[in-house]
Amino acid sequence: MTQLPAGALKRHSHRDERRALMLRNIEQADIWTDEAQRRQAVYIGNSVIRRADDDFLNRHPADMLPAHVGNTLASVRSMPRGTVKVGCSIPAQRTHGYDLPMAVLETCIADQPFVVDTIKMVLRRLGVRILGTLNMILPVVRDESGTLQNLGANLEGARNESFTCHLLSLPSTQPRCDEIKQLVRAHLERAQRVVRDFRPMRKLARDVSATLNYAIEAMPTKAHELSEVASFCDWLLDDHFVFMGAYGFDTMFRPTGRLGLARYAPAGEPGCGTDPTIAFADQGPIITILQSRNDSPVHRDARMQEIRIRLFDEDGEPDGGIVFQGLFTYAALTHSASRMPVMRARLSRMAVSEDLVPRSHRMKLFRSFFDRVPLTYTFASSNREIRDLINEAIDVDFGGVPRVHCSYNSSHTVAHAFVMVTRDRYGDDLRWQVQELIRGAFGADHIEFRLLVGKTDAAMWHYLLQSDSALTTCDIDAVNEEVESIVSPWLERM
C-alpha cells in the first residue's frame, strides 16, 4: 500500500478536522426552532461536507455555515410543484446572519437534466466569474401546497430536488444580483419545459419516421430518399440530437402543435428561424437543416439547429412539415458522415460524379474530408459545392498552398469559411489572427470555430459566421493572400 507523505497526511487531517467542526457547529447551533428543523439542517450539512470540494468550504468560515444552511432551508420552505427557486445576494450579518466577501447564487428545482450546465452557461454569457460550485440531489417530502415536511434518505413519498450553490466574485456581480437571478430563473424554466416535453418530442420523431416509411408505397419514385430520411430520424433518436423544441405546420404553412421551447413562441407566428413557405415547398427536398441564429437557452453555449422535414399523406400528397429545434450531441458531431443516413447516399452520388475508384487513395481522402465537414454545412450545400471544397482540401493535402473556401446562405446572413492548411501550421496565435481577419472581411457579429482534423496531412479550420444584417461579400482572392501570408513562413513564400 502506498503511504502518503507526512505533509499530505497533515493536510488531510486538518481538512477532516475542519469539516467535522463545521458539522458540529450546525448540530449545536441555537438558530433551529425545533428538533425536526435541526435534523433537516444536519442532513443538508452532511451533504455539503460530502459534496463540496476544499476550495468551496475554505471560502466559508466554520462558524458561518449554520447561518448559510439556515437561509437555504428558509428559502425552500415553500415551493409548489413546478416552481423554480432562485436567489442571488451578497450575504451580510444583518440580513442573512453571516458575512461572505462574495455573492451567493442558490437554486432549487425538481431534479432533472440541464440544471448545472445551464446555470454555468448563463453566468459565462454574463461574464460572471464563478469561484465555487456545489450541487446536491436531496430527497424531499412536501405536502400538496409544496410546504417542506421532511428531507432525508429512505423517506416515503420523497422526490429528488436539485440544490445548487454558486459562489460568485464581487467585481463581476455587483450590482447585478437581480439581473442574474431573473436570467437564471428564465433559463431554468425553459430547461424545465424542454425536459417535460422531451418524451413527446421523441415520440413525434418516431411518428415522423413511421409516416415517411408509410409514404413509400404511394411515392415509389422517392422510396430511397424517404427511407433515408426515416432512418435519419431514427439516428437522431439514438443519442445524436438534444430535442429542445418542435413546431408543426399544415399544408397552408400555418402553425399547428408545439412542444418544448416552441411553447414560448407567439401564437400565429412561426416562432423559429424556419420559413415554412420555403422549407415545405412542394418541390423542395424532404429534409433540410438550418443553422439557427438563436442561442440555445439551455445545456450548451451554442446556436441551435433546426431540422425541417416535409410530410406526406397516404396518397403521397404534401401534408405540411415538422421543425425539430435543438443541438447535435457530441456523438453526432464526431460521427462519420459516410455512415450516416441521408449523408451516405449523397457521398455515393458525389463519388460517381467525381469518377472515384472504390478503395483508391483519392477515394479514401475524399471520404476522410467528407466525414469531417459539419452537418450544418453539408445539409445546406449542394453536392457540387461540397465536391469543390473537398477537392481544394485534397490539393492542399498533396502539397498545395493554404487556401480559403467560403459559401453564403441565400439571405447572406450565414456563411461558412474553411481555411485549409497542413496540420503542422496550426497554432492558437495563428488561428486567432486568421479568425479576426475573416471576421472583419465578412463583417460578422457572431463567429464559431472548429478544428477539423483526421488521417490526412491537411486540416480544415471551420469558421461559422453569422450576422443579423447581411454579411459583406468579401474578396476571396484577397482573403486567400492574407491568410497565406499569416500561416506560411516568410522563406517558404519566397
Side-chain angles (χ1 to χ4, degrees):
M1 179 181 291
T2 303
Q3 188 172 3
L4 290 173
L9 284 171
K10 185 175 181 180
R11 286 194 299 273
H12 277 272
S13 175
H14 175 73
R15 182 194 67 178
D16 293 342
E17 289 175 3
R18 189 170 187 278
R19 290 178 180 234
L21 172 62
M22 296 178 102
L23 193 56
R24 281 198 306 274
N25 286 342
I26 294 173
E27 291 173 342
Q28 297 170 5
D30 58 3
I31 60 176
W32 317 120
T33 57
D34 52 40
E35 282 305 307
Q37 190 183 60
R38 187 184 303 275
R39 285 195 301 271
Q40 293 168 7
V42 169
Y43 186 82
I44 292 178
N46 270 306
S47 297
V48 171
I49 298 301
R50 286 198 306 270
R51 301 296 180 203
D53 59 24
D54 290 343
D55 287 341
F56 185 93
L57 289 179
N58 287 342
R59 294 183 184 278
H60 279 78
D63 59 343
M64 296 291 183
L65 191 57
H68 192 164
V69 171
N71 274 273
T72 299
L73 262 176
S75 67
V76 300
R77 181 67 59 190
S78 176
M79 201 172 101
R81 184 169 295 185
T83 300
V84 177
K85 285 278 189 175
V86 182
C88 184
S89 58
I90 301 169
Q93 185 72 40
R94 60 184 180 80
T95 53
H96 297 77
Y98 70 105
D99 291 297
L100 281 182
M102 63 201 73
V104 176
L105 170 68
E106 292 185 308
T107 70
C108 181
I109 183 175
D111 186 37
Q112 63 161 67
F114 310 142
V115 175
V116 176
D117 49 3
T118 296
I119 296 170
K120 287 187 173 182
M121 178 194 74
V122 174
L123 294 175
R124 275 196 303 272
R125 287 178 180 172
L126 290 172
V128 174
R129 184 181 170 213
I130 303 173
L131 303 177
T133 297
L134 171 68
N135 178 221
M136 305 179 293
I137 310 300
L138 304 180
V140 177
V141 178
R142 296 185 183 276
D143 62 19
E144 289 298 319
S145 68
T147 301
L148 179 68
Q149 301 296 301
N150 205 350
L151 56 86
N154 304 316
L155 295 175
E156 185 177 351
R159 296 173 181 269
N160 285 342
E161 294 183 3
S162 173
F163 292 77
T164 75
C165 177
H166 292 77
L167 306 180
L168 313 177
S169 73
L170 278 181
S172 61
T173 305
Q174 287 180 313
R176 306 167 67 193
C177 286
D178 286 342
E179 178 192 6
I180 293 169
K181 180 171 66 176
Q182 291 168 10
L183 276 174
V184 168
R185 180 185 293 112
H187 282 260
L188 287 180
E189 286 171 350
R190 278 160 173 73
Q192 200 174 55
R193 172 51 65 189
V194 166
V195 171
R196 283 176 184 168
D197 282 351
F198 196 63
R199 287 185 179 179
M201 285 188 283
R202 288 177 59 84
K203 180 181 182 301
L204 179 59
R206 287 191 292 270
D207 291 345
V208 169
S209 175
T211 299
L212 294 173
N213 279 318
Y214 185 74
I216 290 175
E217 185 176 346
M219 305 170 67
T221 60
K222 290 187 173 290
H224 182 70
E225 186 179 2
L226 288 165
S227 177
E228 282 289 281
V229 177
S231 296
F232 186 78
C233 290
D234 298 334
W235 178 83
L236 291 175
L237 289 164
D238 189 21
D239 192 31
H240 289 120
F241 194 70
V242 180
F243 292 88
M244 294 184 178
Y247 304 76
F249 296 91
D250 63 17
T251 55
M252 301 299 293
F253 313 119
R254 295 172 299 202
T256 55
R258 295 182 174 187
L259 295 170
L261 296 178
R263 295 183 184 272
Y264 292 93
E269 296 182 11
C272 53
T274 292
D275 182 346
T277 63
I278 297 175
F280 306 129
D282 288 354
Q283 303 305 316
I286 295 176
I287 182 171
T288 53
I289 293 182
L290 172 74
Q291 178 69 50
S292 173
R293 293 200 296 271
N294 297 323
D295 292 320
S296 170
V298 303
H299 180 43
R300 197 169 77 228
D301 193 7
R303 293 200 166 181
M304 296 184 288
Q305 289 84 37
E306 294 182 6
I307 300 173
R308 300 92 66 88
I309 303 174
R310 293 174 60 205
L311 299 179
F312 304 89
D313 63 19
E314 58 187 11
D315 298 320
E317 295 298 320
D319 195 26
I322 296 290
V323 177
F324 291 112
Q325 191 179 55
L327 295 172
F328 285 113
T329 64
Y330 178 77
L333 295 174
T334 56
H335 194 281
S336 296
S338 58
R339 297 199 297 271
M340 189 185 303
V342 179
M343 291 295 102
R344 59 196 177 195
R346 293 187 66 183
L347 175 61
S348 297
R349 292 194 292 271
M350 283 186 269
V352 171
S353 299
E354 290 287 310
D355 291 326
L356 295 173
V357 178
R359 293 183 294 278
S360 66
H361 179 64
R362 193 173 183 92
M363 179 68 216
K364 290 177 182 177
L365 280 177
F366 196 94
R367 180 186 294 110
S368 177
F369 284 112
F370 179 80
D371 278 340
R372 64 188 95 153
V373 175
L375 288 178
T376 50
Y377 173 78
T378 51
F379 268 99
S381 304
S382 66
N383 287 356
R384 175 64 182 273
E385 175 76 25
I386 298 168
R387 282 160 42 203
D388 288 347
L389 167 66
I390 294 176
N391 284 327
E392 288 190 64
I394 292 175
D395 288 346
V396 174
D397 193 77
F398 284 167
V401 297
R403 63 192 66 187
V404 180
H405 181 99
C406 72
S407 66
Y408 296 83
N409 70 344
S410 59
S411 62
H412 257 56
T413 55
V414 178
H416 295 266
F418 295 88
V419 177
M420 287 156 283
V421 296
T422 53
R423 287 195 293 181
D424 60 331
R425 303 293 169 84
Y426 180 76
D428 282 337
D429 288 343
L430 290 179
R431 193 265 281 187
W432 281 107
Q433 288 182 59
V434 171
Q435 179 165 315
E436 290 311 302
L437 165 65
I438 288 178
R439 183 199 294 272
F442 284 80
D445 52 37
H446 176 84
I447 188 167
E448 294 179 17
F449 170 80
R450 278 183 65 193
L451 175 63
L452 309 174
V453 293
K455 296 179 180 179
T456 59
D457 291 332
M460 291 193 287
W461 306 355
H462 174 233
Y463 296 96
L464 173 66
L465 305 118
Q466 293 179 300
S467 176
D468 292 332
S469 57
L471 292 164
T472 303
T473 301
C474 69
D475 182 344
I476 193 64
D477 292 332
V479 172
N480 259 312
E481 289 181 8
E482 291 194 60
V483 167
E484 186 181 352
S485 70
I486 291 173
V487 301
S488 298
W490 179 79
L491 284 175
E492 185 176 300
R493 295 200 304 275
M494 292 290 290

